[in-house]
Amino acid sequence: MLFVDFMQNRNFIQKVDPKRMILVHGQKDEMGRLMSALMLQYNHMPKEKRPTITMPPNLQEVKLKFARRRSAKVMGSLADREKEPREGESVSGILVTQNFNSKIVSPEDLPTYTQLRVGSVSSRLHVPFVGQVSTLRLFLNEMFTGVIETENEEEKGHDGNAIVTFSFHEDQVKVTTGKTRGIATVEWEASPLGDVLADSVVALLMHAQSSAASIRLTSQPCGHQRKVSSSSEENEDGDQPPSKKLREEKSQSTTESRLRLIHNTLLEQFKNVEATYESRVGTFEIKTDAGLESGSLADDDVLICNVRVEFEDDMGIDSKITVECNDGKLATNIQDCIQNVATAAAPIKI
């Protein structure tokens, strides 16, 4: 802050060479003359190098911004690179500041270049589970991809069988069954993704022992003998009895169940859909009397769309969908619909 005596302050201002000057505590006219004289004195300098001179009235708030250049050293594996970094290139790491010195290191190099130590939290949860291992295996593979199953032959479980462990997400989530009667152990490394996966596994364990599908998989026919006439194999409507349908549904493969799901979805949209299944390939012939581009057809005209769905593996994860139809917009909508159904029904990729 400078008082408004120009003759006494001019030499002081020249020696200090401030970047900002605020004139206060003086008579307004005299301070105005001082401000004009100072501005005239620095008028020969470029505009960007001139100091800022202000004369705020009383009780007015003045804010000053001071820019400070900050630098940090990149150390460890982040600095071990073949090419020189370019200006503006982003660096992903942890910024550590100590004694006004900053450095950027990767999480793995924290113990080497800093006094910080990296730790992890392992969680273990015991979940009541009275189902069978085969049921849990089916449900886990239906929900997740990359599930690895291992059996511990050295250590026997409560029933004398080997202890079975299912692991996925790079072995960060594990499910162990057979070690304790009626208990499944869920272990995982605490992280945002690991916690979500662990919650889903717990829900899957509860569902695997109470859903209708698990009851169908684990149920066994009773030993009582009963006579069944050949005519009772079909009911009055010509449909198969529920027991025979159950056996057929149980024998269906995963890909066939995906294809039947697609068939049912198409039947909800179109009245006439004929389906043919062969291994991992399903073909569907759709007949309709109206299109999106062609509009309503004549009474005798029928628009036919041929759909072919092929799964690349028995798990029904990746599929190739082709649609042939004279109505291009309708073909695109059908393909998008089937793709969404196949994606929603496929196991989660982690």
Side-chain angles (χ1 to χ4, degrees), residues 119-123 188-191:
S120 60
V121 178
S122 298
S123 302
W188 73 96
E189 296 291 335
S191 66

Side-chain angles (χ1 to χ4, degrees), residues 100-159:
F100 302 100
N101 295 322
S102 300
K103 60 186 72 173
I104 301 176
V105 297
S106 65
E108 294 78 11
D109 294 333
L110 276 176
T112 305
Y113 296 97
T114 67
Q115 298 179 355
L116 301 176
R117 296 295 179 265
V118 180
S120 60
V121 178
S122 298
S123 302
R124 178 181 297 173
L125 186 64
H126 298 276
V127 182
F129 180 71
V130 295
Q132 295 185 3
V133 177
S134 58
T135 307
L136 181 59
R137 180 188 301 111
L138 174 63
F139 276 67
L140 287 175
N141 284 282
E142 285 281 335
M143 181 61 66
F144 305 104
T145 59
V147 179
I148 301 174
E149 180 180 350
T150 56
E151 294 185 2
N152 189 354
E153 299 290 349
E154 299 178 357
E155 185 179 358
K156 298 297 182 181
H158 64 90
D159 54 356

Side-chain angles (χ1 to χ4, degrees), residues 81-301:
R81 51 192 303 171
E82 297 178 356
K83 297 182 180 180
E84 291 291 333
R86 295 175 297 178
E87 184 177 356
E89 183 179 353
S90 61
V91 177
S92 179
I94 299 178
L95 177 64
V96 181
T97 302
Q98 183 180 12
N99 297 330
F100 302 100
N101 295 322
S102 300
K103 60 186 72 173
I104 301 176
V105 297
S106 65
E108 294 78 11
D109 294 333
L110 276 176
T112 305
Y113 296 97
T114 67
Q115 298 179 355
L116 301 176
R117 296 295 179 265
V118 180
S120 60
V121 178
S122 298
S123 302
R124 178 181 297 173
L125 186 64
H126 298 276
V127 182
F129 180 71
V130 295
Q132 295 185 3
V133 177
S134 58
T135 307
L136 181 59
R137 180 188 301 111
L138 174 63
F139 276 67
L140 287 175
N141 284 282
E142 285 281 335
M143 181 61 66
F144 305 104
T145 59
V147 179
I148 301 174
E149 180 180 350
T150 56
E151 294 185 2
N152 189 354
E153 299 290 349
E154 299 178 357
E155 185 179 358
K156 298 297 182 181
H158 64 90
D159 54 356
N161 296 326
I163 299 175
V164 181
T165 301
F166 300 94
S167 60
F168 57 95
H169 187 39
E170 298 179 354
D171 289 343
Q172 295 188 24
V173 180
K174 297 181 180 180
V175 184
T176 304
T177 60
K179 189 173 184 179
T180 306
R181 181 185 297 274
I183 294 295
T185 305
V186 182
E187 301 175 83
W188 73 96
E189 296 291 335
S191 66
L193 179 58
D195 294 342
V196 172
L197 293 176
D199 290 341
S200 63
V201 169
V202 172
L204 197 65
L205 285 170
M206 305 304 294
H207 184 67
Q209 56 187 333
S210 60
S211 66
S214 64
I215 297 175
R216 290 180 180 180
L217 289 173
T218 57
S219 61
Q220 299 292 336
C222 64
H224 296 84
Q225 299 291 334
R226 67 185 183 93
K227 295 182 180 180
V228 180
S229 61
S230 59
S231 60
S232 64
E233 286 294 320
E234 295 186 358
N235 55 22
E236 296 178 356
D237 297 331
D239 296 334
Q240 295 176 348
S243 59
K244 190 172 182 180
K245 286 185 178 180
L246 180 59
R247 291 194 300 269
E248 291 182 356
E249 291 177 1
K250 186 176 179 180
S251 63
Q252 290 178 1
S253 63
T254 303
T255 54
E256 187 175 351
S257 64
R258 301 278 193 274
L259 294 174
R260 291 186 181 276
L261 176 61
I262 294 173
H263 185 204
N264 293 334
T265 303
L266 293 176
L267 285 175
E268 293 179 357
Q269 306 296 326
F270 303 96
K271 185 177 181 180
N272 191 346
V273 180
E274 296 182 1
T276 304
Y277 308 124
E278 182 179 356
S279 183
R280 297 194 296 263
V281 181
T283 57
F284 307 93
E285 185 182 68
I286 303 173
K287 295 181 180 180
T288 179
D289 57 357
L292 297 179
E293 293 179 345
S294 55
S296 299
L297 304 178
D299 295 338
D300 298 334
D301 294 338

